[in-house]
Each structure stands twice: as structure tokens, then as C-alpha cells.
Amino acid sequence: MAAQVSFSSVAPLLEKCAQCHNASVKMGDLDLHSQDALLKGGKHGPALTRGNAAESRLYRHLTGQLQPRMPFGGSLSESEIALFRTWIDAGAPWEASLQLTTSAEHKFTDAQKRYWAFQPVRNSGGSIDSLILAKLRESKIRPNAPADKITLLRRATLDLIGLPPTPEETAAFLADQSKDAFAHVVDRLLASNHYGERWGREWLDVARYADTNGFKADEIRPNIWRYRDYVIQSFNKDKPYDRFIREQIAGDELYPGDVDAHIATGFLRHYTDETNQPSMENRRTELLMNITDTVGSAFLGMTFGCAKCHDHKFDPILHKDYYRLQAFFANVRAQDDYVPLSGAELAAVNRQQAEWEQKTRDLRARMTALVAPIAKADRDEYMNRFSEGTREAINTPPEKRTAYQALLAFQGLPQVTYQETALSKKLRPEQRLEFDALNAELKKFDSLRPHPPLAQTVIDNSALAPKTFVLAGGSWTAPKEEVQPGFLSILDPTEATFSPPAGLDSTGRRSALANWLANPNNPLVARVMVNRIWQGHFGAGLVGTSSDFGVMGDRPSNPELLDFLAASFVQNGWSMKKMHRIIMLSGVYQESSANQTEAAAVDPDNKLLWHYPRHRVEGEVVRDAMLMTSGRLNLRMGGPGVRPELPEGVNTAGYSGWPVEKDPAEASRRSIYVFVKRILTYPMFEAFDAPTSEESCPRRFSTVVPAQALTMMNDQYVLDWSRQFAGRVLNDGGLSPDQQIDRAYRLALSRAPKPEEQETVLNFLDKQSALIAGRISRNEKVLLPDHLPGGMPPEKAAAFVDFCHALLSSNEFLYVN
């Protein structure tokens, strides 16, 4: 006789199943909200067989015997699965008086409400050092003594501008014996335009910046680089972070007359995009999810993406919260023809464009009429690959499209819009002659047509947004209840209030979100950003998981310090430069990185910061520092991305094309300007742990792998920079061998060699010269500077190249000490 189980014990589990399997959603063609629906089933038969759990689809999905295992993305406990088995084997009794509900209002637990990240920021007073020392005293650890001046200068310079200090800067700092000497260094570096290039790179990781779309075709976004330049300029200007947020979320709505603010909204444009998808519904869902995930992690430090299919498994982020956040972006679309001009300049462009259109209207209309039948035939044939909804959206007259259809059509139409000159090749000969004659006449007006600069950004498609639905399992094919724009429920359960901006064809939704994010009372945003800044200086944040402040992320190693920094950030007008200054003038930043055996035994991971954490610089800084040391770095700022030459053997066929810069000086610009191609990462950056730009990167890994040593040993450009570095030293006339070694050390490592190092290098140069002389006698290739100093034997010059190569490959060159 089968064991008995009451329906009331199974009902709560069935309610969870019915969130995705009910009469309105019916994922997998399963409806589990009623007994009749369970027994009727769908195209695969009944969901259960009374009295026989082993043969029931429901049970087999729960145990993984049928795929996918349910619940999707997880599993029930053994006791819960056993409860289902017992219930089904007992005949699946159902109490009609108990109704399943699929939309119960979620209630947060007291523990969730008390979670540290959701509490108001509290400034307990004190300073960075007092809060650090308090933790150290609790563990009976003493902090390290201050680092020496050269180490401190090199640390600060690499941190703030991503370049090593020059010998002149080093000499000036050593000569300055004032108590404010280091403060003067920090202020000088913060005032440098190179500061924005260094710290802009940190933000571009978070923003998942790239110059291409991604996916197989990986098409170029030719004008997206203006966003990169906007970021650099914003850091250099010390744009307040709250304004920085507002511009990137809703610059077009909040500051319609500000060209930079429009470009800033390109933050939302960095989603990956498979432009040739047949389903615009799926394509649109993917880009909205990319935007939603990134905004949640970048500004709030919460993994919203885990809630796209169901309530977050660990954090208090509801399934509907994900789509409430997504609803702020429901109406956005790409704007790839934004003209970044204003005032008289923009008016002149508009007048010129209108004049060109008026004078060429008839010519263009006749050319269009000639190719129209071919265009229609090609379009009709291609339309068959589109999804039904995409075809319907495109075929519906523009004035009759719904808000959602308008967005689908906007994305789908480029696939069926053809260049008329390409279509003309299919015309009959006499038509082709007529078309070519019209085209020749049209070209006479080329001088009249304006060619203004363009930027790629996003705007709202209109003042009417499409509806947003909670999606069961994250699938656009399974919409559930409609939701309105709203914030994280545990912080603010209300719907957002907004109004359309005056004079703009926009909803105002993103303005409401931007203002909520940038509100000083938001407990997450300031904490997240100061933690990122701390991470940039120390290699790790006070919260190690800098885009995950949730339950599965790290807890702050010093909560009081995190809140002190967040409060100071807001009180200082959200100034990032002031935050750098506060951190860098602290004692903890200026500590030595030396080890203490006793302290390491208590705090092996240095969570309490008893010493400065040594860490390797990023691949971009490796390249920039080598270029600078070799004397080849081109410091020109801004403009389209550049493509340096790639190492031999890199496949650049097909979609991986990489047209190399014709001007060597352009190829030697700073690494932040190297073209970011999603399917082809620049090899040196890849070797040194550059992230993928498919999604937001909160913190770069720092691995030690053979590829790094092999790159430094064998990469042709590292060898070239070593040759040029050697030539830079050897061509300084009148230097003795000792002075040449000293000069090389000061350029590469910012210090003079120790006596034992000087002796070791001299011995190396003698031995290496003899070895290279033998290679030269055998006509073997050796590395030489571009110009040999007069009277210097080639073997001695080649040996000096090898010495310079060793300096560039040393840990002291590659690490922030």
C-alpha cells in the first residue's frame, strides 16, 4: 500500500513550478497549475501518471531522467523529490479548496533587510590610517614602515598615469625634502592628461567597451571611439561621478544641449550584437539583457543577471526586479548617425544637408525607381528567413506599427535595405546606362553634401515605450505579467515616476533611473565606486568581488573604512581625483611591500593591509612602459582606434581582418587607443590577462603563465623596443660603460644600479660580446640598435641590446612594488 501524503505539503513546491508552467506561460508545453492540466498535459502527453511516479514526466524531469532537469538551473533536495514520488505513487490527491497561486507577493526576510550592503552609509569618523590601524591592533600586527622614495614615486606614477617616471621626475622628487613632496607628486600626476588615459581604461573594462559588434562577423563600430575619448576627458576634468552616471544612463534626456552627454549615453551601446539574426525579437531581448546586466553590476554591484529566469537564488533580487530594471531601457535603440556638433556648426550642417537633398531629390527619386523592382524582389526573398514577428513588423506601415514593432523593424530593416549602386548591376543594359548617367549627374553635387563627424550612441525610439513583461526562463517566447519601471524592491519597491522630457521624443524613463542611481542616499553606488578606486590602487578592493556585493561575494575586509570612503566621496562632491588623493596620501598606501613573517602567519592574504600589496601591471601598461623606455611612445591623444602590427602567425583572414597602420608612429600610440576587436584580442594584452569585452569586467585576473615569459622573450616588438632602448642609451655621447649601465637602469627602473648589479652587468656584457662575436663570424642574425655609435664593435652593441631586453623583462619593470 502506497504511503499517504497530503496535497498541502506538495502545493508550495507545485506553486514554484507553476511560475513557469501555467496556463499563460506554459513553458515546455506544460501547465501545472491545476489537476486537470496535470493529467491532460501537452504534446508530450500527461505531466504525471497517477500511482506511478517512475513513469511520470514531472518526476522524471525533477530527477534528471528527462532533460532539462527541473527546476531549471537548480535541483530539488532529495527529501523534496521523495515527497513528489510519494504523492504521485499515492494517486496524486488534489484538494480543490487549496488554490495554487503563481503571483504571490514576495516578502523579504529580516536577515535580507539587515544585509550590510543595503544599510545606509555611515561615516564613523577617523581616517584611512586610523581605521586600518584599529584592525591591525585587534590582530596584534604592526604595519610596515614607509617605502623608499623611488619605490613610492614609481608606484604612484604607474598607478595614476600608467607610465614609469622619467629620470628627471625622479631626480626632482629626490631633491624635494619638503614634508609635502609626495603630495606635490600626486597633484602633478592628477593634473596630467595621462591620468585620464590610465583610469579611463579601468572604466572601459567595466563598460565592456569595444570597437566591434562581436559574434562571428564582428562588424566595426566606426565611431564608437568617441565614447572612449569621452571617458578619458571626463576623468581628466574630474567630472563628478554622479554627473558621470547621469550622462551615461540618460545624457540625451537630462542634458539635451550637451554634445558630450549624448556621446556618454554610448555606455548603453556597448552590447554585443549579432546583426544578421533572423529573429529581431530574440536579438532585442539579448541586447536589453546585456544592458540590464551591465547597469546592475557596474553601478549597483549586484548580479541582476541571475534573476532573469527566476528570483535570485542567493540575493534579494526578485525575478520581476530584473524586468523592472530592464523596463527603463525598453524603448532604447541605437543611434549611429548622431552629429556631435551644436550651435552654428550644427545649423550650418543642417542647412547644407537640406540644400543637397532639395537639389538632388529628383535625381535620387529616378534612380530609386529604376532599382525598386529588384530591391523588392531581393527583399521578398530575404524576408523568408525572418521570424514571423519580424516579418509582420517590417511589413506593417510605419504609422500603424506598435511601439514594439517599430523597434523590431528598426533592427530588421537594414538586412533588407540595399545599396542602389549594388542593385544597379542587376539592371538590363539600357536601364544600367540610364542609372549610371543619373549617378554621374548626382556626383556633381558631392561638394555640396556635408560630411560631418558622427558618433554612435543610443536614444529612445519615441515617446511611447513598448510593454515589458517578466519572461519565464528568460525567454521572449514566454511572457508572464507586465511590469513597470522600478528599482530594487528591497531598497525601493515603488514604481518609478517620470515624465517625457520637454521637446524630446523620449519617455524620460532613463532620467528617473539615472537620478535614483546618483542619489546620495543610494547605499550601493558610492560604495561600489570607491571600492573600484581602492582596487585600482591596491590590486584588490576592500570588497574583493567589486561587481558583486551580494551574499556570494566577498564581505568588506574593513566595513568602517569602506563607509568612510563612500561618505567622503559624496561629501567631496563625488570627486574621483579627491578620492585618489585621500587614498594616496595615507600611510597605508605609502607602506613598504616587504614581508613580515609574523604578520603573514596571522593574515597571509594581507586583508588587513599590513604591507603594500605588490602586483603586476596590466598588459597595456607593459606595452606603454616599454614604448616609453625605448623612446618610441607617441603621446598623441584621441581619435579612432589604431592597429599595431601583429606577431607572425596570427590569423587575420576573413572576419579577423586587422589592417595594420601605415604610419609607424600611429602604431606606437598608447595602448588605450589600440583597436578593441571582440574576436581578436591584441596578443600581448591577451597574454597579460586582458578581459573579454563581451561583458563587464570588474577585476582583471593576474596569472603567471608561460605565455607571458615567452612573449617577453620572443615577441618581435619586445625585441625591437629592446633594440631602440639600447640605441637610446648608446647614442648618448660621452658615456663610459659604467655610465651607460647607470643610464639604462634609471630609464627602465628609475634607480641607479647597486654596486653588485653594476659588476654583474659588466661581466655579462663581456661574456655576451664574445658569444655574439662568434655568431657574427658565422653570419648569424643578431639584434643591433638602428644606429651604431661611432667606433663601437657590433658585438658590444648587440650585447647591450640583450642587457636592455633583460631589464624590460624583469619583475621590477613589470610589477608595482
Side-chain angles (χ1 to χ4, degrees):
M1 181 177 179
Q4 295 298 308
V5 61
S6 68
F7 177 66
S8 60
S9 60
V10 177
L13 297 175
L14 274 174
E15 278 188 349
K16 293 182 180 179
C17 301
Q19 301 300 314
C20 297
H21 304 283
N22 56 62
S24 61
V25 178
K26 211 171 183 180
M27 287 194 70
D29 200 38
L30 274 180
D31 178 1
L32 307 181
H33 85 287
S34 70
Q35 185 181 43
D36 288 344
L38 275 165
L39 297 175
K40 181 180 179 182
K43 60 186 178 182
H44 301 295
L48 61 78
T49 303
R50 281 179 163 177
N52 191 342
E55 294 299 322
S56 296
R57 284 180 60 212
L58 173 60
Y59 181 76
R60 287 164 65 81
H61 275 294
L62 293 175
T63 57
Q65 297 174 66
L66 288 178
Q67 292 297 319
R69 182 169 185 163
M70 289 287 130
F72 194 74
S75 62
L76 298 181
S77 67
E78 291 184 8
S79 61
E80 289 170 330
I81 292 174
L83 183 65
F84 265 111
R85 182 180 185 111
T86 303
W87 175 66
I88 296 171
D89 283 343
W94 194 288
E95 296 176 27
S97 60
L98 289 177
Q99 297 294 321
L100 297 185
T101 175
T102 60
S103 59
E105 190 64 34
H106 187 95
K107 292 185 178 180
F108 297 110
T109 66
D110 289 341
Q112 288 174 323
K113 294 175 183 177
R114 291 194 303 269
Y115 187 67
W116 71 268
F118 304 133
Q119 306 314 303
V121 172
R122 291 186 175 87
N123 187 354
S124 57
S127 65
I128 291 176
D129 290 331
S130 66
L131 294 167
I132 290 283
L133 288 170
K135 293 290 185 183
L136 290 173
R137 279 195 292 268
E138 289 175 9
S139 299
K140 298 179 179 169
I141 298 174
R142 58 180 175 81
N144 272 3
D148 64 85
K149 290 189 77 170
I150 289 177
T151 296
L152 189 57
L153 176 66
R154 189 174 178 86
R155 179 187 300 171
T157 309
L158 287 168
D159 266 6
L160 281 183
I161 66 171
L163 298 170
T166 66
E168 294 75 20
E169 290 166 347
T170 305
F173 181 49
L174 291 175
D176 187 349
Q177 298 301 312
S178 70
K179 64 181 180 62
D180 294 327
F182 186 61
H184 296 155
V185 166
V186 172
D187 291 340
R188 171 177 59 80
L189 294 170
L190 288 172
S192 167
N193 283 336
H194 303 316
Y195 159 75
E197 293 175 319
R198 172 73 181 90
W199 280 83
R201 177 67 266 169
E202 299 271 330
W203 184 256
L204 293 178
D205 278 2
V206 175
R208 81 268 190 237
Y209 172 83
D211 291 294
T212 60
N213 282 334
F215 293 98
K216 178 184 176 182
D218 204 27
E219 304 102 323
I220 292 173
R221 293 175 176 170
N223 298 297
I224 200 69
W225 57 268
R226 295 187 192 278
Y227 173 82
R228 177 248 289 146
D229 284 0
Y230 156 82
V231 170
I232 293 170
Q233 292 159 11
S234 295
F235 275 86
N236 279 336
K237 294 175 182 175
D238 197 21
K239 181 168 289 181
Y241 184 62
D242 59 340
R243 170 79 183 220
F244 191 56
I245 293 171
R246 289 185 171 98
E247 289 181 349
Q248 291 181 94
I249 298 295
D252 58 318
E253 292 182 348
L254 291 168
Y255 316 105
D258 188 329
V259 168
D260 283 349
H262 280 266
I263 293 172
T265 313
F267 171 84
L268 305 174
R269 182 72 176 84
H270 299 309
Y271 50 80
T272 54
D273 191 11
E274 191 173 16
T275 57
N276 65 347
Q277 278 197 60
S279 168
M280 294 306 111
E281 299 97 327
N282 190 61
R283 181 181 170 194
R284 178 139 193 92
T285 300
E286 287 178 348
L287 76 85
L288 286 176
M289 286 182 171
N290 185 293
I291 292 172
T292 307
D293 295 354
T294 302
V295 168
S297 62
F299 297 108
L300 294 167
M302 300 298 294
T303 53
F304 269 79
C306 297
K308 61 168 59 84
C309 299
H310 45 67
D311 286 352
H312 200 293
K313 294 292 186 183
F314 308 105
D315 296 331
I317 304 176
L318 306 183
H319 191 194
K320 72 174 183 180
D321 279 352
Y322 183 85
Y323 294 96
R324 278 155 51 95
L325 177 58
Q326 189 178 104
F328 287 108
F329 308 107
N331 201 31
V332 300
R333 67 162 176 85
Q335 185 187 27
D336 288 351
D337 57 355
Y338 174 71
V339 178
L341 299 174
S342 60
E345 287 182 308
L346 181 60
V349 167
N350 290 339
R351 282 196 304 272
Q352 196 174 348
Q353 179 68 21
E355 184 180 358
W356 178 85
E357 289 178 358
Q358 187 271 327
K359 291 184 175 180
T360 62
R361 184 175 293 112
D362 291 345
L363 283 171
R364 290 183 288 112
R366 290 166 63 188
M367 292 169 68
T368 299
L370 280 170
V371 297
I374 297 172
K376 183 179 184 306
D378 286 358
R379 171 171 159 167
D380 289 346
E381 181 180 358
Y382 191 92
M383 287 279 284
N384 292 323
R385 73 183 293 273
F386 281 140
S387 67
E388 182 179 349
T390 303
R391 287 198 301 271
E392 183 180 353
I394 292 174
N395 287 330
T396 300
E399 67 278 6
K400 294 184 179 180
R401 289 173 185 150
T402 65
Y404 184 56
Q405 285 181 321
L407 288 162
L408 298 184
F410 176 83
Q411 289 188 295
L413 277 168
Q415 292 190 46
V416 290
T417 302
Y418 309 100
Q419 291 288 332
E420 292 185 346
T421 51
L423 293 172
S424 70
K425 295 175 183 178
K426 299 181 181 181
L427 291 170
R428 295 193 304 273
E430 64 277 12
Q431 291 178 313
R432 176 70 183 273
L433 286 172
E434 183 182 356
F435 183 94
D436 289 346
L438 291 169
N439 195 32
E441 191 66 21
L442 180 65
K443 288 180 178 179
K444 294 178 181 178
F445 294 90
D446 282 354
S447 60
L448 182 61
R449 189 175 190 180
H451 297 282
L454 297 175
Q456 293 181 268
T457 182
V458 302
I459 55 171
D460 268 18
N461 191 55
S462 69
L464 179 64
K467 294 179 179 180
T468 297
F469 298 93
V470 173
L471 301 182
S475 172
W476 64 271
T477 64
K480 297 169 66 178
E481 71 270 21
E482 183 183 355
V483 292
Q484 298 301 318
F487 311 115
L488 194 59
S489 290
I490 197 164
L491 294 178
D492 185 350
T494 61
E495 295 176 359
T497 57
F498 47 84
S499 56
L504 294 179
D505 201 20
S506 190
T507 62
R509 292 185 174 200
R510 288 179 286 113
S511 298
L513 175 62
N515 287 325
W516 181 77
L517 289 172
N519 189 315
N521 295 322
N522 188 311
L524 289 166
V525 173
R527 282 183 176 128
V528 169
M529 190 56 187
V530 297
N531 189 65
R532 294 194 195 282
I533 295 173
W534 187 274
Q535 172 183 283
H537 286 299
F538 291 92
L542 294 166
V543 179
T545 50
S546 49
S547 282
D548 184 4
F549 278 30
V551 172
M552 298 304 288
D554 293 345
R555 298 298 180 272
S557 58
N558 194 323
E560 295 80 12
L561 176 55
L562 181 64
D563 273 14
F564 166 78
L565 294 172
S568 300
F569 190 38
V570 175
Q571 289 164 9
N572 284 319
W574 301 82
S575 166
M576 288 184 270
K577 287 190 176 182
K578 288 181 180 177
M579 182 52 52
H580 289 296
R581 201 174 191 276
I582 290 171
I583 291 171
M584 296 179 72
L585 296 185
S586 69
V588 65
Y589 180 81
Q590 298 178 44
E591 287 176 345
S592 158
S593 61
N595 187 47
Q596 291 184 48
T597 304
E598 299 83 359
V602 178
D603 180 26
D605 295 327
N606 192 35
K607 295 280 189 183
L608 302 178
L609 291 172
W610 49 270
H611 72 86
Y612 181 82
R614 183 185 292 112
H615 54 279
R616 199 195 64 230
V617 297
E618 303 96 316
E620 291 91 337
V621 180
V622 172
R623 177 178 175 272
D624 290 351
M626 286 193 289
L627 277 166
M628 180 177 175
T629 305
S630 71
R632 292 295 303 276
L633 182 61
N634 176 359
L635 293 174
R636 188 174 76 81
M637 296 180 67
V642 298
R643 296 175 180 85
E645 197 167 348
L646 297 174
E648 187 177 348
V650 177
N651 181 10
T652 57
Y655 295 122
S656 297
W658 185 274
V660 174
E661 298 299 323
K662 295 177 181 178
D663 181 356
E666 281 296 287
S668 296
R669 293 180 62 204
R670 286 204 70 170
S671 297
I672 194 169
Y673 302 115
V674 171
F675 191 84
V676 182
K677 188 168 178 60
R678 282 192 159 114
I679 65 170
L680 178 61
T681 303
Y682 186 66
M684 178 174 285
F685 303 161
E686 185 173 35
F688 284 94
D689 306 310
T692 174
S693 50
E694 302 288 324
E695 56 189 17
S696 176
C697 174
R699 178 186 175 189
R700 295 194 182 192
F701 293 109
S702 185
T703 62
V704 179
V705 295
Q708 293 157 3
L710 292 170
T711 295
M712 298 304 293
M713 269 175 42
N714 302 318
D715 185 277
Q716 182 59 51
Y717 310 105
V718 175
L719 298 177
D720 283 345
W721 296 328
S722 301
R723 288 189 312 100
Q724 291 150 3
F725 175 22
R728 181 183 180 189
V729 174
L730 295 177
N731 284 297
D732 281 351
L735 298 182
S736 67
D738 280 347
Q739 290 171 325
Q740 289 169 342
I741 295 168
D742 181 88
R743 176 72 170 152
Y745 262 84
R746 291 181 187 276
L747 286 171
L749 306 181
S750 310
R751 65 175 177 85
K754 299 172 185 175
E756 61 270 24
E757 291 172 327
Q758 187 92 15
E759 184 179 352
T760 298
V761 175
L762 286 169
N763 290 335
F764 166 79
L765 292 174
D766 285 343
K767 292 178 181 178
Q768 193 72 351
S769 295
L771 289 172
I772 291 174
R775 290 170 58 191
I776 292 175
S777 68
R778 296 189 296 272
N779 292 320
E780 294 178 11
K781 183 179 179 181
V782 298
L783 290 175
L784 291 168
D786 290 333
H787 303 288
L788 278 178
M792 175 172 259
E795 62 269 19
K796 287 190 175 294
F800 202 84
V801 170
D802 290 344
F803 158 58
C804 289
H805 185 196
L807 283 180
L808 295 183
S809 303
S810 65
N811 280 350
E812 191 172 348
F813 186 81
L814 299 174
Y815 279 75
V816 179
N817 187 11

